[in-house]
Amino acid sequence: MTLIKSISGIRGTIGGATGDTLNPLDIVKFVTAYASFIRKAEPQGSNKIVVGRDARISGEMVKNIVCGTLMGYGFDVINIGLATTPTTELAVRMSGADGGIIITASHNPRQWNALKLLNREGEFLNKEEGNEVLRMAEAEDFVYADVDHLGHYVEDNSFDERHVDNVLSLQLVDVEAVKKAGYRVCVDAINSVGGVILPKLLDQLGVSYEILNGEPTGDFAHNPEPLEKNLTGIMDKMRAGGFDLGIVVDPDVDRLAFICEDGRMFGEEYTLVSVADYVLENTKGESRNTVSNLSSTRALRDVTEKHGGNYAAAAVGEVDVTTKMKEVGAVIGGEGNGGVIYPESHYGRDALVGIALFLSSLARKGCKVSELRATFPEYSIAKNRIDLTAATDVDAILVRIKEMYCGKEGVTVNDIDGVKIDFPDKWVHLRKSNTEPIIRVYSEAATMEAADELAKQIMQVVYDM
């Protein structure tokens, strides 16, 4: 069974039996539940819903079902076509819509697709709202519109340019400095919407570029998660010389990874760290608070404290991070998977914002990418997983791990999202994935060997249960 229903949406592989996969009947049911929720939440709203999608092979099919279902429920649909997740988020706000649906399975392989659900601010539904949509979907207590009250359909392809304009208008995006630097970059767009919008951004920044896997076919050239093991093509290209920076995005362009001029990974964990350092350095007389999730590097905490700010950790998940950011007044935040959230633009992970701020920082500092990387605290994160079976008792596992370390001197245990064990010089975090049937085991230490050893110790406890 690959159909995963959660507060963040519905995700699954295409085809197969109803109730087990992402198929037309389940799409209709879930979209109707969302439409019903929005109707109750926004009774005096605009009656408009934005729909955008990445370039997945199944995207056209899913889009047609989503748009038709929304119209059948009486909503007017603004289809913005092939669009990034952050573009769709901004489009909701810019168009005054009541909500939005993003058709993307993010970093999952080509056979997957998903529906991500937005509120009128272009932000993901919170836990309470997501659970209500799930409840409505199970109840199937739906009443569709009659023939005189069906929704209308329009296509609007202007939002890529409006997104780029939004990024260029940010105070700390130094367009002139970037243009003057004359950078040449190599981009891996993984055969999705990054190949459509990133050239538009780079053209406006005066950056010359070569795009790898730029055709938005949805037939991904490699595993689409922007991890080092999947990026040998662009890394080899960078090692051959001729480029100042390598840029990698995932299929919906909310995650961002950089590659140094010599072909070494900058480190996806350090995407947010580097951008935050630049923002904090140029934030005067204001809050210098930052937020990332529990599975992100300590380097953000170190950089924040260096600039006189306060760092706070949130549960894993964009909505949890943005909620904490609003609570503490963070000027920047995000997730260690390369997700940058910059409230001056909007409360959503946005690779375009990350690229523009990173290039601005690089241009102002006048250094190479590898030299910039060397200025940050050095940590290594090991990312492991435990595959779940039907018999796995995840709650019992987490309770057992928590009991093992609670009360130990110099150890802090945080259970707001799974269990995180903080030691003075390292940490390990176990949590059940929201998108896959696995327990993620992330650990960080001074070296990769030490981080991996810590993870293996904890994982062995699980295997022995």
Side-chain angles (χ1 to χ4, degrees):
M1 180 172 181
T2 64
L3 188 64
I4 301 172
K5 303 174 184 178
S6 72
I7 61 169
S8 58
I10 182 171
R11 177 181 306 233
T13 55
I14 296 298
T18 58
D20 285 338
T21 60
L22 192 67
N23 57 79
L25 285 179
D26 283 308
I27 293 169
V28 168
K29 182 171 77 169
F30 199 79
V31 171
T32 304
Y34 169 73
S36 180
F37 170 82
I38 291 295
R39 178 77 76 222
K40 291 180 180 178
E42 304 291 342
Q44 305 300 319
S46 65
N47 201 51
K48 296 185 292 187
I49 301 289
V50 171
V51 177
R53 70 178 182 91
D54 70 14
R56 287 171 184 275
I57 295 168
S58 60
E60 182 76 10
M61 178 273 289
V62 177
K63 178 265 295 182
N64 289 335
I65 296 169
V66 168
C67 292
T69 302
L70 290 170
M71 293 167 65
Y73 204 80
F75 275 104
D76 297 330
V77 174
I78 304 173
N79 174 24
I80 66 172
L82 291 176
T84 75
T85 282
T87 303
T88 310
E89 292 169 345
L90 283 167
V92 171
R93 203 171 67 193
M94 290 175 173
S95 64
D98 295 336
I101 296 179
I102 310 166
I103 303 168
T104 174
S106 191
H107 64 274
N108 285 68
R110 64 198 289 277
Q111 67 269 28
W112 289 76
N113 214 328
L115 309 176
K116 296 183 178 181
L117 311 178
L118 304 174
N119 63 20
R120 65 190 300 270
E121 298 299 326
E123 299 170 18
F124 291 117
L125 302 186
N126 62 33
K127 184 176 182 179
E128 180 181 348
E129 293 166 338
N131 281 332
E132 178 62 10
V133 172
L134 292 176
R135 187 198 66 76
M136 289 178 165
E138 289 305 309
E140 294 190 42
D141 185 18
F142 306 138
V143 178
Y144 291 93
D146 61 36
V147 70
D148 294 315
H149 296 91
L150 296 174
H152 300 92
Y153 175 89
V154 297
E155 295 182 358
D156 188 339
N157 298 311
S158 69
F159 287 100
D160 274 3
E161 286 75 15
R162 293 168 75 175
H163 185 180
V164 170
D165 288 344
N166 173 275
V167 173
L168 298 178
S169 71
L170 298 173
Q171 185 176 357
L172 292 183
V173 172
D174 195 334
V175 177
E176 293 309 311
V178 175
K179 286 182 176 179
K180 186 177 179 180
Y183 292 123
R184 178 163 171 74
V185 305
C186 187
V187 179
D188 186 344
I190 193 59
N191 304 109
S192 192
V193 291
V196 178
I197 195 170
L198 291 186
K200 299 175 182 179
L201 173 68
L202 296 173
D203 284 340
Q204 292 297 311
L205 288 170
V207 174
S208 63
Y209 52 85
E210 180 176 338
I211 306 290
L212 306 180
N213 309 314
E215 289 297 317
T217 62
D219 197 4
F220 306 141
H222 56 77
N223 186 307
E225 189 164 14
L227 302 177
E228 181 173 357
K229 64 183 180 180
N230 302 326
L231 304 177
T232 54
I234 187 173
M235 292 175 73
D236 288 343
K237 191 85 171 177
M238 293 297 297
R239 290 188 192 102
F243 297 99
D244 301 295
L245 173 68
I247 297 173
V248 182
V249 294
D250 66 339
D252 66 327
V253 197
D254 63 351
R255 289 176 60 176
L256 172 65
F258 296 121
I259 301 172
C260 299
E261 76 286 348
D262 57 8
R264 289 182 295 120
M265 290 294 294
F266 191 82
E268 63 169 347
E269 288 288 333
Y270 285 83
T271 298
L272 175 58
V273 173
S274 60
V275 173
D277 182 61
Y278 171 66
V279 169
L280 294 168
E281 184 178 31
N282 291 279
T283 299
K284 308 300 181 183
E286 305 169 33
S287 163
R288 291 185 178 85
N289 296 340
T290 65
V291 173
S292 64
N293 67 42
L294 287 169
S295 285
S296 300
T297 179
R298 280 184 179 174
L300 180 61
R301 179 202 64 184
D302 296 347
V303 165
T304 303
E305 292 175 352
K306 179 186 75 172
H307 290 291
N310 295 308
Y311 166 78
V316 175
E318 185 169 317
V319 68
D320 296 293
V321 173
T322 57
T323 299
K324 178 62 74 171
M325 288 178 68
K326 293 173 185 178
E327 179 185 318
V328 303
V331 293
I332 190 165
E335 298 183 289
N337 60 11
V340 175
I341 302 172
Y342 190 44
E344 187 182 331
S345 175
H346 64 121
Y347 278 102
R349 298 185 304 187
D350 192 330
L352 276 73
V353 169
I355 290 168
L357 290 173
F358 185 87
L359 287 171
S360 298
S361 174
L362 199 65
R364 287 189 179 183
K365 290 179 170 67
C367 62
K368 295 180 179 180
V369 176
S370 60
E371 293 170 342
L372 178 62
R373 175 63 178 82
T375 65
F376 301 121
E378 187 63 45
Y379 296 104
S380 295
I381 286 187
K383 298 184 177 182
N384 291 281
R385 58 187 278 171
I386 299 171
D387 293 316
L388 301 179
T389 68
T392 304
D393 188 338
V394 177
D395 291 337
I397 289 171
L398 298 179
V399 168
R400 171 64 176 146
I401 298 296
K402 179 180 175 181
E403 289 175 345
M404 286 178 60
Y405 290 96
C406 271
K408 284 195 173 184
E409 186 176 354
V411 177
T412 302
V413 177
N414 187 321
D415 63 356
I416 65 170
D417 182 11
V419 176
K420 182 174 183 179
I421 314 298
D422 255 308
F423 304 91
D425 59 345
K426 56 191 175 183
W427 58 260
V428 61
H429 184 207
L430 291 83
R431 61 179 294 273
K432 185 177 180 181
S433 171
N434 291 327
T435 58
E436 299 176 76
I438 62 174
I439 294 177
R440 299 191 186 277
V441 183
Y442 286 10
S443 53
E444 183 176 66
T447 67
M448 183 59 73
E449 292 75 17
D452 218 26
E453 179 60 29
L454 176 60
K456 288 178 180 177
Q457 291 174 9
I458 298 295
M459 292 168 71
Q460 192 59 51
V461 173
V462 176
Y463 296 142
D464 289 343
M465 289 183 64

